[in-house]
Amino acid sequence: MNRTKLGLGIGAGLIAIALAGYGLGLFGKKDPREAAREQREELLETDRENLARAGASEEEVRMALMRLASARDPGVLEQALKRAKDPSPLVRSAVAYALGRFPEPRSIDVLKALITDESIDVRRDAIRSLGTRPDDERRKFLEALKNRKGQSPSEKLAVWEVLVRGDAQGKYKAEALDELLALARSGEGGLGTQAMALLASRYRGEPRVVALLKERLQSAPDLGEKAMALNYLVVMRDPWTLANFRKLSIDSSNPELQILGVQLLGRACPQALWEILDEKFSGADASPQIQSAAMGALSSIGGQKAAELFEKWKSQGKLKNPALRPLVDAVAERLERTQGRPGRCDGTQPSA
């Protein structure tokens, strides 16, 4: 073999090795943040192409408008404006979403027009979008909307969502409480749940809100409402809820409420906390969901007692379920960091 052929052979071999090395990650991997940024830009470029393509489906257009607007893409404003009268309500809702992200007067004008759209969903989304930027013109328009006649319940809820969000001085508090309590008790399914969540997050200490949450916890036909009410009441450390915590959740006949109760043990801190955790995790009928919830509660409580219970489960061979393996490792790491320190429930006033 002459030197030229040898050089070519060695060169080709080195190239092959280099390519294989990159394929196997031997020369280091791309920064995950850079990879995520590149993937995001590729997706946005596809969105731009879809908006420029005549045959794009309404779903492609809808998602493109929303993603590009969230990214503040400079070209999406014009694309949204020209679709304000699209025949699809889904697209018009996306137009409302997109225009809410831009302060230009044209955006506000079109959003005001969309508030009279034939579709309730479009009208609701236009109201919400008007509330995404805290300028005076939008605020005054929204204030006027709360007294507008003929609005659907979902539009009313959207108006109050945006008004109370920026109401640092409590200007709308009395009126908002009346309106939102009425909506929460309206029996309109998801709408009532949304109103209840807004009340609980914004006015959680109000006696009427607490009374509503207790009412829904005990009598709501929807499990999601019961779970939401229980969660908020425990976070508020409502005395009645804490006194009845075990009966309302852990000992409930509903498996999902039982799981939620176990998840909330680190917030409720009942008197028999460690016995309950051990019983729920180690019981013969303990489901993987209950065991996962117990592990999560143990991790959130932390401290010496939590570490001791974890070691007890480990020594008894109760952590060998393959389904729990990733969670076991994470909990072990968390408890190692908090071992020797007071746990979340140490010194907490115990509940029943």
Side-chain angles (χ1 to χ4, degrees):
M1 181 182 296
N2 63 34
R3 290 186 178 182
T4 302
K5 288 184 178 180
L6 179 62
L8 289 173
I10 292 172
L14 289 173
I15 291 170
I17 292 169
L19 290 175
Y22 280 112
L24 294 171
L26 300 178
F27 296 98
K29 295 179 180 178
K30 184 181 290 186
D31 184 337
R33 290 172 297 181
E34 178 65 17
R37 189 195 67 77
E38 289 181 3
Q39 283 185 331
R40 180 170 176 268
E41 185 51 43
E42 287 175 8
L43 182 59
L44 293 178
E45 183 57 35
T46 299
D47 288 335
R48 295 183 193 103
E49 292 171 1
N50 283 336
L51 290 182
R53 183 164 58 87
S57 68
E58 66 177 27
E59 181 63 15
E60 288 173 327
V61 171
R62 182 179 78 89
M63 292 306 301
L65 288 170
M66 295 176 71
R67 274 195 292 257
L68 289 167
S70 295
R72 299 295 193 276
D73 188 87
V76 73
L77 175 59
E78 295 300 327
Q79 291 284 356
L81 288 168
K82 76 179 186 181
R83 287 177 166 82
K85 295 183 179 180
D86 192 279
S88 167
L90 285 174
V91 172
R92 297 199 303 277
S93 278
V95 167
Y97 176 91
L99 294 180
R101 274 72 192 159
F102 293 91
E104 282 81 356
R106 291 182 299 164
S107 296
I108 298 176
D109 290 342
V110 174
L111 282 171
K112 288 178 179 178
L114 288 173
I115 284 174
T116 64
D117 194 274
E118 64 183 22
S119 165
I120 290 176
D121 291 341
V122 174
R123 299 199 299 268
R124 177 204 62 214
D125 291 342
I127 291 167
R128 286 175 173 162
S129 282
L130 274 169
T132 56
R133 301 187 68 88
D135 60 70
D136 289 342
E137 183 181 354
R138 294 186 186 209
R139 172 67 51 171
K140 288 176 182 176
F141 186 78
L142 289 165
E143 283 181 347
L145 275 183
K146 69 183 175 66
N147 299 316
R148 186 178 179 181
K149 303 296 183 184
Q151 290 185 89
S152 68
S154 63
E155 290 171 83
K156 287 181 182 179
L157 179 58
V159 170
W160 286 111
E161 279 178 6
V162 295
L163 286 178
V164 303
R165 187 189 307 141
D167 188 24
Q169 306 304 315
K171 175 181 176 182
Y172 306 112
K173 181 177 177 180
E175 193 176 356
L177 277 168
D178 289 339
E179 293 285 342
L180 290 171
L181 283 165
L183 286 168
R185 290 194 166 102
S186 66
E188 298 232 1
L191 187 73
T193 304
Q194 291 172 46
M196 185 174 75
L198 181 57
L199 283 164
S201 61
R202 184 69 193 180
Y203 305 114
R204 65 172 52 175
E206 286 296 314
R208 287 192 292 166
V209 175
V210 174
L212 170 69
L213 292 171
K214 290 179 180 178
E215 172 193 315
R216 304 313 283 167
L217 174 57
Q218 296 175 87
S219 62
D222 180 71
L223 180 62
E225 283 195 39
K226 282 180 178 287
M228 181 189 297
L230 177 64
N231 184 68
Y232 276 117
L233 287 165
V234 168
V235 169
M236 292 177 196
R237 299 204 59 76
D238 172 66
W240 174 84
T241 305
L242 295 180
N244 293 279
F245 177 75
R246 181 161 189 167
K247 180 175 68 175
L248 292 165
S249 59
I250 302 294
D251 295 339
S252 167
S253 60
N254 187 293
E256 293 185 45
L257 278 179
Q258 290 179 30
I259 293 169
L260 177 62
V262 174
Q263 290 172 337
L264 289 173
L265 281 169
R267 287 192 174 274
C269 298
Q271 195 168 19
L273 169 64
W274 304 110
E275 291 83 355
I276 294 171
L277 267 171
D278 197 15
E279 171 194 324
K280 300 308 291 185
F281 185 88
S282 302
D285 59 345
S287 66
Q289 292 83 2
I290 282 283
Q291 289 188 318
S292 295
M295 294 282 286
L298 199 69
S299 177
S300 70
I301 295 166
Q304 187 62 35
K305 290 181 181 178
E308 290 171 0
L309 183 56
F310 182 80
E311 286 303 317
K312 175 186 172 182
W313 292 344
K314 186 176 180 180
S315 66
Q316 293 174 342
K318 294 176 180 176
L319 302 179
K320 294 181 178 179
N321 184 341
L324 297 176
R325 188 71 253 167
L327 187 57
V328 169
D329 293 341
V331 172
E333 182 181 345
R334 157 75 176 163
L335 292 178
E336 186 176 353
R337 292 198 303 268
T338 63
Q339 193 168 5
R341 305 178 194 171
R344 172 182 276 183
C345 293
D346 291 354
T348 302
Q349 182 65 35
S351 58

